[in-house]
Amino acid sequence: MRRWWPLGALVGALALALGWWSARSELVRESSAADGGQPRAGACDCGAAGAAAAPAAPPPAAAGARPLQAARFAVCPREESAATLTSLALLEGRPALWALHCGRSLHLIAIEELSGGLVPLRVAIVESSSPNPAEAVAASEPAAADVDGDGRADLIAPVLLIDRLEAPRGGALFLLRQRAAGGFEPPRRVLGAAPGALAAAALDTQPGADLVLLQREDASTRRPDAIWLLSGGPAPVRFAQRPAGVGVGSLATLDLDLDRRDDIAVTVPGEGRVRLWLSARGPLAEVEPLELALASARQTLVADVDGDGQRDLVIAAEGVAVLFARQAFVPEPRAIAGSEGLRALHVLDVDADGKPDLIGHAHPELFALLRREAGGFERRLVAGLRGEPAVLSARVVQLDRDPRPDLLIVALSARGDDVELAFVANFELGSIVQLADDSRSLPQTALLERFTAQ
């Protein structure tokens, strides 16, 4: 079975090639001050489910403790659609890059540790535009996968055009191949589409990651969205499309039936349905989907929830439910008690017990569903988010080797005209996090790469 996320080299020996060494001392002093002057350990990418066990996390912060300050960095102008933040594994042996997509611009950001402090650095920008002034570019999540089969992860950038009523009006899918010497080749248009979501998949045994694309249609006309299947290789080609439902909410790919081929899952909130295309039942280009009734299902997350080494399908609806991957797959979602109201689900071992936990946003708080030995979950406050500017989303991450979690926040500027990335390092569960009063421009590398997708 091919690797899920084959990784290669991104910006080639980032620490050797980038030209910001002369300015790093000042940046580190500013970052350390924002972090409370705490020394930092070396960086690692520890955000995956099933991370190695670490020392026990400290107890929750005492009531009335001074709020932690989250340093703010202005990234891009605010657009018509809400910005998205995506973790991309593009560089083998290095922490993930963070892709902040604002609409017309996609920003790749590395959060590097320099002289004991964390510093965010803009590595690359991909800009796009609409030829029609009545249309805008909607923010959508990119993906990273070795599409051409050369052993290096590539950046796949969807461009979705919407009108003033947010109806899809076209767009395209672009591929930025990673060069062996580092950096990207210019964007190459793979195909015209209205991509609402995108996921890499292993659909066959041929070299190159395959792609599954959600083709958006205008929900107001009751036209169903479609699932497009694209074969990997030097020149990806669409080989099948399947109707998915009107107003699909999310898309995920994973091997639920453990037959070494990926399956496809979508949520259709308006229908209260989850649809599954299972490869064990036949070719995905032909098999009929399995339909599950799940009211208000809106988000899917792929994660090893039970710690058996297999990725499961987590579904956010009125509460959180899980479809567990099994050889004898049972299509019965198992509800998690105490998960009501959680959105923007993600995974991290926040209590450092060696077991991945589910984390969700219930504004203005973040909660974790801590996995326990008996197989159940315990709801626990992770952090309370306070103050202006408005928080759009928050994600608990691991940016260094310290066992305490870190926090990435996407927020609006005080005037509401810019999208900002904020972070706080090494916080304790139950802490109150306050966005800093002032923001500064996101620093960028001297060898910043700029691309235009058109």
Side-chain angles (χ1 to χ4, degrees):
M1 180 180 179
R2 87 178 56 168
R3 294 182 302 161
W4 241 112
W5 296 108
L7 301 178
L10 173 57
V11 271
L14 187 64
L16 296 177
L18 302 179
W20 34 261
W21 292 104
S22 60
R24 72 174 186 167
S25 296
E26 179 181 354
L27 291 173
V28 168
R29 284 194 298 270
E30 292 179 354
S31 179
S32 297
D35 295 343
Q38 295 297 321
R40 306 300 302 242
C44 72
D45 186 13
C46 306
R66 180 180 177 183
L68 300 175
Q69 294 293 305
R72 295 164 46 200
F73 297 88
V75 179
C76 52
R78 183 182 184 182
E79 302 281 350
E80 296 291 333
S81 58
T84 65
L85 182 66
T86 310
S87 175
L88 297 179
L90 282 161
L91 182 61
E92 189 169 8
R94 300 280 295 181
L97 294 180
W98 296 95
L100 185 61
H101 197 176
C102 299
R104 288 175 293 178
S105 58
L106 170 65
H107 304 256
L108 290 185
I109 301 168
I111 300 180
E112 293 285 311
E113 197 217 347
L114 300 176
S115 300
L118 289 179
V119 178
L121 295 166
R122 188 173 0 228
V123 174
I125 302 175
V126 182
E127 297 177 307
S128 56
S129 60
S130 170
N132 186 340
E135 298 172 349
V137 182
S140 51
E141 294 192 5
D146 180 14
V147 176
D148 55 9
D150 64 356
R152 295 183 295 273
D154 308 308
L155 175 63
I156 309 120
V159 174
L160 172 64
L161 303 178
I162 58 174
D163 62 19
R164 290 189 174 92
L165 298 178
E166 298 188 357
R169 288 294 178 260
L173 190 67
F174 292 90
L175 177 67
L176 286 78
R177 297 182 67 249
Q178 191 177 165
R179 297 189 296 260
F184 296 107
E185 294 180 359
R188 176 165 62 88
R189 185 186 178 103
V190 175
L191 79 168
L198 176 71
L203 303 178
D204 54 40
T205 59
Q206 300 303 311
D210 306 309
L211 299 175
V212 179
L213 181 147
L214 174 62
Q215 168 69 7
R216 284 286 185 209
E217 300 292 345
D218 187 352
S220 66
T221 66
R222 306 301 298 172
R223 294 184 60 185
D225 296 337
I227 296 296
W228 287 7
L229 306 181
L230 283 68
S231 60
V237 176
R238 184 183 71 182
F239 66 88
Q241 71 178 60
R242 308 299 307 279
V246 178
V248 170
S250 64
L251 164 72
T253 57
L254 75 163
D255 185 8
L256 277 172
D257 47 28
L258 303 186
D259 66 347
R260 299 191 176 185
R261 292 173 297 169
D262 283 327
D263 311 305
I264 302 171
V266 299
T267 61
V268 191
E271 300 178 14
R273 297 278 178 180
V274 176
R275 289 194 171 91
L276 304 174
W277 287 263
L278 301 175
S279 57
R281 304 179 71 185
L284 295 185
E286 303 172 3
V287 66
E288 290 301 311
L290 183 65
E291 297 194 358
L292 308 178
L294 192 59
S296 304
R298 58 184 178 272
Q299 182 201 354
T300 52
L301 171 70
V302 177
D304 180 11
V305 175
D306 54 2
D308 65 352
Q310 305 295 339
R311 300 182 310 156
D312 309 304
L313 183 66
V314 183
I315 306 167
E318 295 174 348
V320 177
V322 182
L323 283 168
F324 292 101
R326 299 285 187 268
Q327 286 187 336
F329 173 68
V330 178
E332 296 179 359
R334 185 180 303 176
I336 297 179
S339 62
E340 296 77 13
L342 298 186
R343 298 175 178 269
L345 296 176
H346 53 286
V347 172
L348 190 75
D349 179 12
V350 295
D351 56 356
D353 65 351
K355 297 188 290 290
D357 307 306
L358 290 170
I359 306 161
H361 192 190
H363 184 76
E365 272 79 38
L366 284 169
F367 290 94
L369 300 173
L370 305 178
R371 190 160 64 88
R372 296 311 184 196
E373 292 293 345
F377 291 83
E378 173 191 344
R379 183 163 174 148
R380 176 87 170 269
L381 176 67
V382 173
L385 307 179
R386 297 291 183 268
E388 297 293 339
V391 172
L392 300 179
S393 64
R395 183 164 179 163
V396 184
V397 296
Q398 195 74 54
L399 300 174
D400 60 13
R401 293 190 182 95
D402 188 286
R404 291 175 294 177
D406 311 309
L407 183 64
L408 283 180
I409 300 169
V410 179
L412 295 180
S413 62
R415 294 172 53 185
D417 51 1
D418 287 325
V419 176
E420 298 182 341
L421 184 67
F423 72 89
V424 62
N426 294 350
F427 71 93
E428 299 175 359
L429 296 187
S431 298
I432 300 299
V433 174
Q434 178 86 36
L435 297 182
D437 293 335
D438 299 318
S439 66
R440 49 191 182 271
S441 296
L442 181 71
Q444 58 195 37
T445 68
L447 299 180
L448 176 76
E449 292 192 295
R450 289 184 176 271
F451 301 100
T452 301
Q454 59 185 9

